[in-house]
Amino acid sequence: MASIRRTLSPYHDRSYQNGGSPYSPKLFSSPRHPSRMPELAARLRRLLGYPQRKGQHGRRRAFFYRCLLFFFLGFLLGLAPFGHVNDGDDGDISVRRDNFSFEIKPPLVNEQLKTTQNDVVSADEKREALVSAVSLGLRFDLVPRKQLIVVTPTYDRPLQAYSLNRLGHVLRLVPPPLLWIVVEANAASMETAEILRKTGVMYRHLVCARNSTNVKDRGVHQRNTALEHIERHRLDGVVYFADDDNIYSLELFHSLREISRFGTWPVAMLAQSKNKAVLEGPVCNGSQVIGWHTNEKSKRLRRFHVDMSGFAFNSTILWDPKRWRRLTSVPIRQLDIVKEGFQETTFIEQVVEDESQMEGIPPGCSRIMNWHLHLEARHFFYPRGWLLQKNLDVVIPFK
């Protein structure tokens, strides 16, 4: 026979029986003040619609009251405004619901589209206004800058490092894109490569393999090596021959990007006698070339009186003859068979026909932007004359 055994509480001072609650309402009730907790609990159950323990009718009634309560709460939540209330300019109160929206809206702009009955804003104009509004304050150049292709022939001499460093520091101040093509004769030296790396300019280090010992202007073959490189790789930009012994201003490189086909400008030169300065280059009426500056009698037979650093041209002339309507596809190169000082004019004659295809920069050709000074020491061999045969170590007794 099964028996039920009650577990006795170890606390004998408690007045409630085992299984009873220590916070039972009976403990807090008295004959004078009977407890109302059971009555309040029963009313709350009836209000929330909990079913009674007797019969199916109580369950249906509880379900009805529960649905009615949830409907009432949803109705109140639908009427409640989400957001904050601001006072308008006219004193009326407007309810803003912007803070409860997941829509991505562009920032406000100062420009307003004002329309009247006769004015209709097209969809394209609205789209442009929206694009300008979502620009987020970032500024971009819609028109890209033209690439500058600067060609510099160089060779071993005492002032080579000084000249390359000076030109490199000028080019690093020019806004990109800029490509510096440096051409050495016979072999590429480690010293030149180190100088080019330290300048921070995008460069290409080329080598001219042709022998230029018997050529009066050794830079002819080196420049032709650069022209072959530009033509083979179809580099697009403005080509400029910048020797490392000249002096250039930043204004010159900014003006080069304005050239569409062929541009030229006057160059200040120091005469071979080094006792006077001469001006060589175009005479301009605005951007139109109408004449030439020249002071040397031996060069008056030239067609175009331009220094090698006094012109620049579009690189597509080298590899796209159809664009410029060239009648021949013969490569454009400098000629080493002409007299010294005539390489410039014979080269320009292959690029343009006459002055009508030239552009004078700056307008009016009124400023000097680079100088050709001829300061290089021609008959100085490094390091002969710099070596000291005697020992300079001197021992001085200490007193």
Side-chain angles (χ1 to χ4, degrees):
M1 180 177 178
S3 61
I4 300 175
R5 184 179 180 182
R6 293 178 177 271
T7 303
L8 300 179
S9 174
Y11 301 97
H12 302 285
D13 54 343
R14 298 183 181 179
S15 59
Y16 57 89
Q17 298 179 356
N18 187 24
S21 175
Y23 300 100
S24 176
K26 297 180 179 180
L27 298 177
F28 299 96
S29 62
S30 62
R32 295 183 180 181
H33 303 283
S35 175
R36 299 179 61 86
M37 293 297 295
E39 183 180 357
L40 293 177
R43 291 183 179 181
L44 182 60
R45 287 178 62 87
R46 287 196 299 270
L47 179 63
L48 295 178
Y50 282 95
Q52 296 179 359
R53 297 181 181 180
K54 297 180 180 180
Q56 189 70 18
H57 178 71
R59 294 180 181 179
R60 293 179 179 177
R61 184 179 180 183
F63 180 77
F64 173 77
Y65 282 117
R66 190 178 302 170
C67 293
L68 182 62
L69 177 62
F70 289 154
F71 175 79
F72 184 73
L73 291 177
F75 180 76
L76 292 180
L77 290 176
L79 295 179
F82 288 91
H84 57 276
V85 180
N86 290 337
D87 294 337
D89 297 337
D90 299 333
D92 55 339
I93 300 176
S94 60
V95 180
R96 297 184 59 186
R97 299 171 181 252
D98 298 340
N99 296 338
F100 198 69
S101 176
F102 293 97
E103 182 182 0
I104 300 177
K105 297 182 178 180
L108 297 178
V109 293
N110 295 329
E111 299 180 359
Q112 298 179 355
L113 297 178
K114 299 181 180 179
T115 59
T116 60
Q117 295 180 356
N118 298 327
D119 297 334
V120 178
V121 180
S122 63
D124 295 336
E125 293 176 350
K126 291 182 180 179
R127 192 179 300 108
E128 292 176 1
L130 181 60
V131 170
S132 63
V134 191
S135 60
L136 300 178
L138 300 179
R139 186 176 181 181
F140 299 96
D141 275 338
L142 298 180
V143 180
R145 302 189 188 98
K146 291 183 180 179
Q147 179 175 231
L148 299 183
I149 306 174
V150 181
V151 177
T152 302
T154 185
Y155 58 96
D156 297 337
R157 62 191 190 279
L159 299 181
Q160 180 189 16
Y162 164 75
S163 301
L164 284 177
N165 275 294
R166 182 180 61 185
L167 180 56
H169 284 292
V170 174
L171 296 180
R172 71 185 301 178
L173 300 177
V174 180
L178 184 145
L179 176 62
W180 190 16
I181 300 180
V182 180
V183 186
E184 279 196 287
N186 301 327
S189 63
M190 296 299 296
E191 292 78 9
T192 302
E194 184 178 1
I195 292 174
L196 298 180
R197 284 194 300 267
K198 290 182 178 180
T199 56
V201 181
M202 184 173 63
Y203 71 93
R204 296 187 182 181
H205 193 183
L206 306 182
V207 176
C208 177
R210 295 192 60 177
N211 186 10
S212 57
T213 305
N214 299 326
V215 180
K216 294 182 179 180
D217 187 359
R218 67 180 72 192
V220 172
H221 293 317
Q222 292 174 287
R223 297 187 190 97
N224 287 338
T225 300
L227 294 176
E228 293 173 3
H229 182 83
I230 295 171
E231 182 178 352
R232 181 170 61 254
H233 296 280
R234 293 179 174 265
L235 301 180
D236 191 4
V238 178
V239 181
Y240 176 52
F241 298 121
D243 294 343
D244 56 2
D245 58 345
N246 294 347
I247 299 176
Y248 307 92
S249 64
L250 284 176
E251 183 183 3
L252 170 63
F253 295 98
H254 290 299
S255 301
L256 292 180
R257 290 195 165 100
E258 302 175 1
I259 298 174
S260 59
R261 176 169 184 167
F262 183 93
T264 181
W265 55 91
V267 179
M269 305 176 59
L270 189 64
Q272 295 292 340
S273 59
K274 298 183 180 180
N275 58 1
K276 64 177 181 178
V278 297
L279 189 65
E280 190 171 53
V283 179
C284 303
N285 181 13
S287 59
Q288 182 182 4
V289 178
I290 59 175
W292 301 97
H293 293 286
T294 182
N295 292 329
E296 299 186 25
K297 296 180 181 181
S298 60
K299 297 181 180 180
R300 289 183 179 179
L301 298 177
R302 295 186 300 176
R303 174 65 180 86
F304 302 110
H305 300 272
V306 186
D307 184 72
M308 188 63 70
S309 62
F311 67 92
F313 60 95
N314 196 313
S315 64
T316 57
I317 299 177
L318 301 175
W319 48 267
D320 192 2
K322 294 182 180 180
R323 175 180 177 182
W324 304 102
R325 299 179 181 178
R326 290 181 55 214
L327 301 178
T328 177
S329 59
V330 177
I332 299 177
R333 299 291 185 269
Q334 293 190 5
L335 306 178
D336 58 349
I337 58 177
V338 298
K339 296 181 180 180
E340 183 180 3
F342 283 78
Q343 287 86 2
E344 296 88 347
T345 182
T346 54
F347 178 80
I348 296 174
E349 289 173 5
Q350 303 175 62
V351 179
V352 295
E353 297 178 0
D354 51 23
E355 286 82 357
S356 63
Q357 298 178 347
M358 296 183 178
E359 310 164 40
I361 58 172
C365 300
S366 57
R367 289 191 299 273
I368 303 300
M369 297 182 292
N370 67 306
W371 296 264
H372 193 177
L373 302 182
H374 298 284
L375 297 179
E376 190 66 37
R378 294 182 177 271
H379 303 288
F380 187 83
F381 300 94
Y382 178 83
R384 183 179 302 174
W386 287 39
L387 294 179
L388 299 177
Q389 302 296 334
K390 297 182 179 179
N391 191 359
L392 296 180
D393 295 336
V394 178
V395 179
I396 302 177
F398 179 75
K399 295 183 179 180

